Amino acid sequence: MASVKFGKFKMSRAGYAALMDSPGVQSVIERKAKAVKSSADAGLSHGGYDYEDHEVKEFRGKLARGRVVRTKTDQARYSEAKRKTLSKALGAARG
């Protein structure tokens, strides 16, 4: 693997991938994704529906695994288009 040098810091793609795939980092990513999902679900007016409107999906990138929070129902897609419920929920990942 090629590495890039930034001053005294030497970046290693293999090292980055190993760090990002570590259980500690993956648990932080999962916790933040679930917080965004919960916040987005709470921002919807449910109208009597009894199922989850957003979902957390795992994906595998070139270097590491990650999570995506996406709309799951038509109601959630409409709410994102009109009120940006999922976009506004991204702030929940900070806390």
Side-chain angles (χ1 to χ4, degrees):
M1 282 267 162
S3 58
V4 179
K5 208 167 187 182
F6 297 101
K8 291 184 180 186
F9 175 76
K10 185 176 177 183
M11 185 178 151
S12 163
R13 289 176 60 93
Y16 174 81
L19 174 66
M20 292 304 292
D21 278 342
S22 70
V25 172
Q26 287 298 310
S27 69
V28 169
I29 292 170
E30 179 71 18
R31 179 177 46 82
K32 289 179 179 274
K34 286 181 178 181
V36 170
K37 178 197 175 305
S38 295
S39 180
D41 282 344
L44 293 175
S45 57
H46 285 283
Y49 298 110
D50 192 23
Y51 47 84
E52 296 178 343
D53 296 298
H54 297 88
E55 65 182 342
V56 176
K57 296 285 282 187
E58 184 174 342
F59 72 92
R60 180 82 186 162
K62 288 183 178 182
L63 293 178
R65 293 180 295 147
R67 305 290 187 287
V68 173
V69 181
R70 64 184 193 175
T71 58
K72 190 174 176 181
T73 64
D74 289 339
Q75 180 188 9
R77 285 185 277 280
Y78 179 81
S79 183
E80 172 60 18
K82 292 295 182 180
R83 294 186 290 282
K84 302 291 184 207
T85 49
L86 182 56
S87 297
K88 289 177 182 177
L90 293 175
R94 291 188 196 112

